[in-house]
Amino acid sequence: MKQLLALLFSMGVLIVAGCSNVYSQEDGYRMAVINQGFPVPKNAYEVKPEDCTDEISKAAKYKLQGIGDQDGNPPAHYLETIEEWGWTELVDERRGTIHFYEKNGKIMSLNIHQDVFDVFEMTSNPES
């Protein structure tokens, strides 16, 4: 009986550990829901996005532990991956925790906070 309880407990711990959504560069990346060419961490899950505005044509919100620290600084590997996927950061347009990227005439915005991040496809250049 003790062995059965120990086995069940061990399986429960493994299931919980395997299902926890925590940022890890080893897990890789997938395409964002709103733009097939923009990467998001593979184990992030989508939550209700912000409403779109005149500047934002599409929005997606993701929850993922460890994606940003208390100040909203993202993991360096994630930013490197975005550039590896062909996106160029518009450094002069950065606004605090909001990063802007351009690829093939599309502008994407990435806003990272502690354990949550937003991805926006912009309708216009951020300086407009």
Side-chain angles (χ1 to χ4, degrees):
M1 184 65 164
K2 286 184 181 182
Q3 289 178 333
L4 179 61
L5 288 175
L7 177 65
L8 291 174
F9 177 77
S10 297
M11 287 176 41
V13 168
L14 289 175
I15 290 171
V16 170
C19 293
S20 63
N21 290 26
V22 177
Y23 174 78
S24 170
Q25 69 185 43
E26 289 82 24
D27 289 336
Y29 300 88
R30 61 183 165 92
M31 296 177 275
V33 172
I34 62 168
N35 185 302
Q36 300 297 303
F38 197 84
V40 296
K42 191 177 283 184
N43 56 352
Y45 62 94
E46 191 175 5
V47 294
K48 186 178 183 313
E50 305 296 322
D51 291 332
C52 293
T53 65
D54 290 341
E55 295 177 332
I56 300 170
S57 63
K58 298 177 187 175
K61 183 181 221 66
Y62 296 91
K63 191 168 185 178
L64 181 62
Q65 289 181 10
I67 191 64
D69 62 18
Q70 290 177 337
D71 298 323
N73 297 311
H77 187 267
Y78 181 33
L79 299 181
E80 292 165 7
T81 299
I82 293 169
E83 293 193 2
E84 287 172 5
W85 281 39
W87 294 88
T88 302
E89 183 171 8
L90 304 173
V91 178
D92 294 340
E93 302 301 328
R94 188 183 301 169
R95 299 177 191 149
T97 61
I98 303 172
H99 298 255
F100 291 92
Y101 293 89
E102 188 275 330
K103 178 180 175 182
N104 300 330
K106 290 273 187 197
I107 305 288
M108 298 294 291
S109 171
L110 174 66
N111 189 5
I112 295 185
H113 299 282
Q114 188 173 3
D115 300 333
V116 68
F117 64 103
D118 297 288
V119 178
F120 303 108
E121 185 172 296
M122 310 302 290
T123 56
S124 62
N125 197 318
E127 62 191 25
S128 303

